[in-house]
Amino acid sequence: MLSRHQTPSTLSTGLKALSEAVSSISRRSCQYCGAVAIASASTCALAVTGDDINFNGYARSGIGSTDKGGEQLCFKAAGAPSKYRLGNECETYAELKFGADLFDQDDVQFYLDTNIAYKVGQQTDVEPTEPWAREMNIRATGVFGDALPGSTLWVGKRLYNRHDVHMIDYYYWNVSGPGVGIENIDVGMGKLDVAWVRNQNGVKYDKWNQGTKKLAYETETVTTNILDFRWNEIPIVHNLSLELGLDYGVGSPPDNLPEVTLTNGDKVGKSYFDKNGWMLTGELTWNVLEGFNKFIVQYATDAMTGPGTGTAGSYLQTTDWYKGNKLFRVMDHGAVSLMPKLDMMYVLGVTQVKYDEDKIHPMYPNYGTKTTWMTAGVRPSWNWNDLTSTTIELGYDQVKNAHSSFQKADGKELYSSNLFKSKLLKFTIAQQFHPQFGNWVRPQIRIFATYADWNTPDKFNTGKTLPPENVKGQCTDSSTTCNALGLEYFDTFTSAQQLMKAYGSKSDGWTYGAQMEIWF
């Protein structure tokens, strides 16, 4: 289809006339175009005009520095899957969503939804990056007629019904990816959604190289097909509703995955990763104080605790294996208005991953242990007037049996912590400017100052292969290596080298800066 931005005015006039003529033909007639439609697709198509195009987006960007100079650094506790984000985001990120109403007639609608995103380190004028095609799907409503009234059939790439905690930017229920599904099926008490979504995950495993008698890491792509079932909008009492979910992940490695002999003589091949898994989710939503409170319970096994599936233990150190892991989560979060001039966001949660006992040679020291992430935080905002407010965010993360690592600047050697109790206390105060006051009002401009205090491990390892007993160093007050190992660097746009350069042997410090955030 052609938009008015892509078509010369004369052609647009002709298409408009043709569209008006085609519109006089009933939709039922178009359903029987058949082979004729293949020869002349425009016969059954309606021209999309500028009025049918929708544009939505999200963006954040800013500038910052540390009290020690240099660029802004961001803080995430070692082993934690998220961080408290206010005054603690070191990147420019944007999502540009274009949609189009392709067809809307006789209670039948076809809608195109797209989402192109990018992320850079906000350091210079020109920062090359590769855009991400995060969404590209069509949603068709009414195609099942009276059999499933009001339901929607969709297919394509999609950020599928994600559930998150905004103040830590953490998605605890997220099976996004290419897929197909039917949603909003009316079952009397609530709605039912059914979907099939796929993710391709890079999985590492170690093998014993008989020739060199050294460990070597292999990486394979393992497909996880996820069947997602959701029963939502279940009414309990006034202002209280329930959502239940069942996700079944099918680990599907390639048939010809090479079989290797490991250190104990076991052979590892397809069967090692051919593991399925379950995830059960219950979410209770209470609409209260002009906002909401959500209470979540989750349990996941095997493939549904893996990275890339968008669920469970994603990025919680570490879930690079599918076999035997178990996860349990309890979380409560919300955003409410306590009084006309005081809004607040909050979160309290515990997530525990039990890693299977590694019977081979452990790549990570987590195996056979329980890693527990506890998080608690509040973000109150005081309204001075409609245009400005003051916000404070206080957040605390603790990870029992955490593990962190980073490579030396030359990339030839790896530093790795022992298992330790990771802790991070983060405080931010920000003056905000906005068109009106509220938890969810955007755009916002923020002038902020952030303080972070974290602890460090007792010992560290160094080398190319790092079994947990290979301890090479003790952490002392002057150890910049241990200071850097106290934090997590995934998805923070901060490196261990930057942290050591700025803070040396210190494990606390300030940052300051300004940021804008917008969605529409």
Side-chain angles (χ1 to χ4, degrees), residues 75-393:
F75 308 98
K76 181 193 290 188
S82 68
K83 57 183 172 58
Y84 286 86
R85 64 191 297 186
L86 184 69
N88 196 31
E89 293 175 307
C90 293
E91 73 278 354
T92 291
Y93 177 73
E95 293 181 359
L96 305 177
K97 291 176 61 66
F98 290 90
D101 295 305
L102 303 177
F103 183 88
D104 190 350
Q105 185 177 316
D106 297 339
D107 297 324
V108 175
Q109 298 176 333
F110 281 77
Y111 184 80
L112 171 67
D113 189 29
T114 72
N115 185 350
I116 305 299
Y118 72 90
K119 182 185 290 189
V120 295
Q122 63 187 29
Q123 296 299 321
T124 62
D125 175 23
V126 179
E127 296 180 278
T129 186
E130 294 183 1
W132 308 336
R134 303 202 69 182
E135 294 188 277
M136 185 69 65
N137 62 80
I138 285 183
R139 305 175 194 180
T141 302
V143 293
F144 296 108
D146 295 334
L148 298 173
S151 64
T152 298
L153 172 67
W154 66 271
V155 65
K157 291 195 66 175
R158 184 176 175 188
L159 300 178
Y160 179 64
N161 292 343
R162 301 183 300 171
H163 292 229
D164 72 306
V165 182
H166 174 76
M167 64 183 295
I168 58 176
D169 200 18
Y170 182 63
Y171 291 85
Y172 53 88
W173 194 2
N174 180 7
V175 291
S176 300
V180 59
I182 304 174
E183 59 186 350
N184 296 325
I185 302 172
D186 193 338
V187 292
M189 288 186 58
K191 302 292 180 64
L192 180 67
D193 302 338
V194 181
W196 166 31
V197 183
R198 169 176 290 172
N199 264 275
Q200 301 286 119
N201 310 311
V203 178
K204 290 183 179 179
Y205 60 96
D206 60 336
K207 72 173 183 178
W208 183 254
N209 189 318
Q210 297 289 355
T212 62
K213 294 186 178 181
K214 293 181 179 180
L215 285 171
Y217 294 157
E218 295 287 335
T219 302
E220 293 290 344
T221 297
V222 177
T223 297
T224 301
N225 291 305
I226 303 172
L227 299 178
D228 181 276
F229 303 90
R230 306 192 187 199
W231 183 15
N232 50 61
E233 300 180 21
I234 306 170
I236 306 299
V237 295
H238 180 63
N239 288 339
L240 189 66
S241 62
L242 176 66
E243 182 170 1
L244 299 174
L246 173 64
D247 290 273
Y248 180 56
V250 181
S252 182
D255 282 341
N256 295 320
L257 187 70
E259 188 175 77
V260 296
T261 301
L262 300 156
T263 54
N264 65 348
D266 289 347
K267 294 184 181 297
V268 169
K270 177 181 178 180
S271 61
Y272 198 83
F273 302 103
D274 194 6
K275 304 296 179 183
N276 303 336
W278 297 88
M279 186 177 77
L280 304 175
T281 302
E283 180 178 273
L284 196 63
T285 301
W286 182 24
N287 296 319
V288 62
L289 296 176
E290 300 182 27
F292 66 86
N293 179 86
K294 291 181 181 288
F295 178 75
I296 304 100
V297 177
Q298 282 183 312
Y299 177 75
T301 69
D302 302 301
M304 290 307 292
T305 67
T309 59
T311 63
S314 292
Y315 314 126
L316 185 61
Q317 296 270 344
T318 179
T319 52
D320 286 345
W321 301 76
Y322 278 54
K323 182 183 178 183
N325 294 340
K326 302 291 186 293
L327 177 142
F328 182 73
R329 171 179 293 127
V330 177
M331 183 172 282
D332 189 272
H333 71 100
V336 295
S337 180
L338 298 177
M339 58 181 66
K341 286 185 173 293
L342 180 61
D343 281 8
M344 187 174 71
M345 294 181 177
Y346 56 90
V347 61
L348 177 66
V350 178
T351 299
Q352 184 178 87
V353 178
K354 171 64 172 67
Y355 295 100
D356 189 38
E357 185 72 35
D358 188 8
K359 298 177 182 179
I360 313 162
H361 188 96
M363 282 175 57
Y364 299 98
N366 303 72
Y367 293 122
T369 67
K370 291 181 180 179
T371 297
T372 304
W373 168 49
M374 294 184 289
T375 188
V378 293
R379 186 197 290 188
S381 300
W382 180 261
N383 176 25
W384 300 105
N385 56 56
D386 282 346
L387 300 180
T388 186
S389 61
T390 299
T391 296
I392 292 174
E393 183 176 85

Side-chain angles (χ1 to χ4, degrees), residues 343 345 381 383 389 432 434 436-442 444:
D343 281 8
M345 294 181 177
S381 300
N383 176 25
S389 61
Q432 301 185 138
H434 37 65
Q436 62 186 64
F437 177 69
N439 276 321
W440 306 110
V441 171
R442 301 295 185 273
Q444 285 187 353

